[in-house]
Amino acid sequence: MRRLLTLHAFLVYLLLYLPILVIVALSFNQSRRGVRFTGFTLDWYRALFQDPRVLEYFLNTLTVAFVSTLVATLLGTLLAVGLVRYRFPGKGFLSYLLYIPVVVPDVVMGVSLLLLFALAREVLGFPRLSLLTVILGHITFQVAFVTLVVRSRLLLLDPALEEAARDLGARGWQTFWHVTLPLAWPGVAAGALLALTLSLDDFVVTFFTAGPGATTLPLYIYSSVKLGVSPKVHALSTLIIGLSAFFLALGYALTRRRV
């Protein structure tokens, strides 16, 4: 039975990761067309970094990812502290609302954000679809992930540590800054890295909220595939996969740190 379950797990992981491995292998393939491997080369990576459009889209992607992650981490951390350390009416309902951005389909999220921005533009004349709307769209789903990760970390902390700080004369902000935040820092960093990873490879929400001049790497890959899959797309996809895997591994390592 154990061997059967091991084989089953191996086949499942193979099904999940084999397409990714194929893309990585083809990014080093000398052949421009087809999937037959004709030789090893790094030419597609060189061509990728020499393309000014790719550099522009890469800068847009990093701008959206880091700005949205910074804001979402700040908001999510404060929300997590409020949910764990304080009591207020509607706390349970608000906790359940956190799961909606996590489980709702990305298409629904993207369409709802597009309609919201259109309504705001109709009433207020602002904002037009741009890099700003992409950042706002990413923040809406990043906050939930950051809050859930930080909250799970805070639940492992002993409240007596904060009570001891207050007994010694520390004010609320001093207790948070010198006691709560250092102890919860691995969870905050893990939530931020998770949010950053989600932003880097997000396509659906970006597709609905992006305007002229707000093209990111996932959007560029999508438009390139419609015209025919180029080895440059394989190389770009491999770089995004590697960057996302790095941040996910770093976030996992931080969450495994003991309190």
Side-chain angles (χ1 to χ4, degrees), residues 31 65 140 166 179:
S31 176
T140 55
R166 287 191 290 267
V179 179

Side-chain angles (χ1 to χ4, degrees), residues 47-190:
L48 188 65
F49 288 112
Q50 293 172 357
D51 190 339
R53 294 183 306 164
V54 173
L55 296 179
E56 177 188 353
Y57 303 153
F58 180 69
L59 182 60
N60 288 343
T61 304
L62 290 184
T63 301
V64 171
F66 282 103
V67 173
S68 62
T69 298
L70 180 63
V71 177
T73 302
L74 176 61
L75 297 178
T77 301
L78 295 178
L79 180 58
V81 172
L83 290 174
V84 174
R85 292 292 183 257
Y86 299 96
R87 295 181 180 179
F88 51 88
K91 175 182 174 179
F93 178 70
L94 185 60
S95 299
Y96 282 113
L97 287 180
L98 278 175
Y99 294 96
I100 293 181
V102 178
V103 301
V104 72
D106 290 343
V107 174
V108 176
M109 177 72 73
V111 172
S112 62
L113 287 170
L114 177 61
L115 294 176
L116 175 63
F117 293 142
L119 178 62
R121 188 168 62 251
E122 184 73 22
V123 176
L124 305 174
F126 176 85
R128 295 187 177 277
L129 294 183
S130 61
L131 213 59
L132 175 61
T133 56
V134 177
I135 293 174
L136 294 176
H138 284 208
I139 291 173
T140 55
F141 65 80
Q142 286 176 310
V143 168
F145 286 95
V146 173
T147 304
L148 291 173
V149 174
V150 176
R151 186 178 68 170
S152 65
R153 179 73 179 187
L154 290 174
L155 290 173
L156 298 176
L157 303 181
D158 188 358
L161 298 174
E162 298 173 352
E163 295 174 1
R166 287 191 290 267
D167 289 340
L168 293 174
R171 298 179 182 272
W173 176 253
Q174 291 174 320
T175 301
F176 171 77
W177 187 257
H178 294 288
V179 179
T180 306
L181 186 59
L183 292 174
W185 179 248
V188 175

Side-chain angles (χ1 to χ4, degrees), residues 197 200-201 238-252:
T197 303
L200 285 174
D201 58 9
T238 301
L239 292 178
I240 294 178
I241 292 170
L243 197 60
S244 301
F246 170 76
F247 286 124
L248 282 176
L250 187 58
Y252 176 77

